[in-house]
Amino acid sequence: MPDRYRWTRGADAQVSAWIVQGAERLGLEELYRSAAYEHSYRLLWLAGLSTREQDTAHTVRFPCRPRLKRADGVASLSVLRTRVSDAALARSKRPMVEGRCVCEGTGWYGNVFDPDDPTTYYESSCPGHNPDGLRTLPLAVSA
C-alpha cells in the first residue's frame, strides 16, 4: 500500500490485494504476532501505562507511525465488508506484550489509595496482559 494512500469508494479489491500481499510477505504467524503486539500496546498506551521498553519495541516493530495509522484505518474499513472467523476473533483477544510491563506479566498492578499509608492499595487489571480484568485464581478472604 502506498504511504499516502487514501481509501476511495470501489477500491475494495485493491485494498484486499494489498492485505493478502502483506500477509504473504510476513507469513501468518508473524502477522498474528504483530497484530497481537499492536493491540496490547495500544491498550496500554491509551491507559497511559506503556513503559519505555514497550514504546521502544513498538517503534522498532512499526517504525513509521503515520503508515501504521493509515494501514489500521484502511484495514478497519475492509473488515466492515468481510466476515471475520471465530478463530480470528479468538486470536484478536490473545494478549501479547513486548518489553517490561507495569504488571510484571501477572495481569494486575497495584495502586495506592493513600500516599501517607502505602499499605492501603487496590489492584487494577493490566490492559495489556489482562484486558478483560479476569482473575485466574480464586480470591481468598480471611476474617
Side-chain angles (χ1 to χ4, degrees):
M1 183 181 83
D3 285 345
R4 297 179 187 260
Y5 175 75
R6 288 190 178 272
W7 185 85
T8 57
R9 190 177 302 264
D12 294 348
Q14 179 62 62
V15 170
S16 293
W18 284 329
I19 291 170
V20 169
Q21 181 184 38
E24 287 174 347
R25 281 186 185 163
L26 287 175
L28 287 179
E29 284 308 310
E30 182 55 32
L31 179 69
Y32 298 157
R33 187 176 16 262
S34 289
Y37 284 140
E38 160 65 6
H39 180 69
S40 293
Y41 175 78
R42 183 170 297 175
L43 293 175
L44 286 161
W45 181 81
L46 286 170
L49 295 171
S50 64
T51 64
R52 184 171 296 161
E53 286 180 27
Q54 292 164 350
D55 295 341
T56 300
H58 182 74
T59 300
V60 168
R61 185 172 289 279
F62 303 104
C64 183
R65 178 176 278 167
R67 182 172 175 78
L68 175 62
K69 186 176 179 179
R70 185 170 311 276
D72 277 349
V74 172
S76 67
L77 291 172
S78 71
V79 169
L80 293 174
R81 296 170 173 77
T82 306
R83 184 187 163 320
V84 178
S85 71
D86 291 339
L89 287 172
R91 265 193 316 275
S92 74
K93 295 179 186 285
R94 177 181 61 182
M96 291 180 71
V97 176
E98 288 182 290
R100 187 167 184 223
C101 190
V102 66
C103 77
E104 299 293 336
T106 66
W108 298 91
Y109 66 97
N111 293 299
V112 175
F113 270 128
D114 180 358
D116 296 328
D117 181 7
T119 62
T120 60
Y121 72 96
Y122 63 97
E123 287 187 328
S124 296
S125 66
C126 172
H129 283 100
N130 188 11
D132 295 328
L134 301 176
R135 292 252 182 221
T136 55
L137 300 173
L139 292 174
V141 178
S142 62

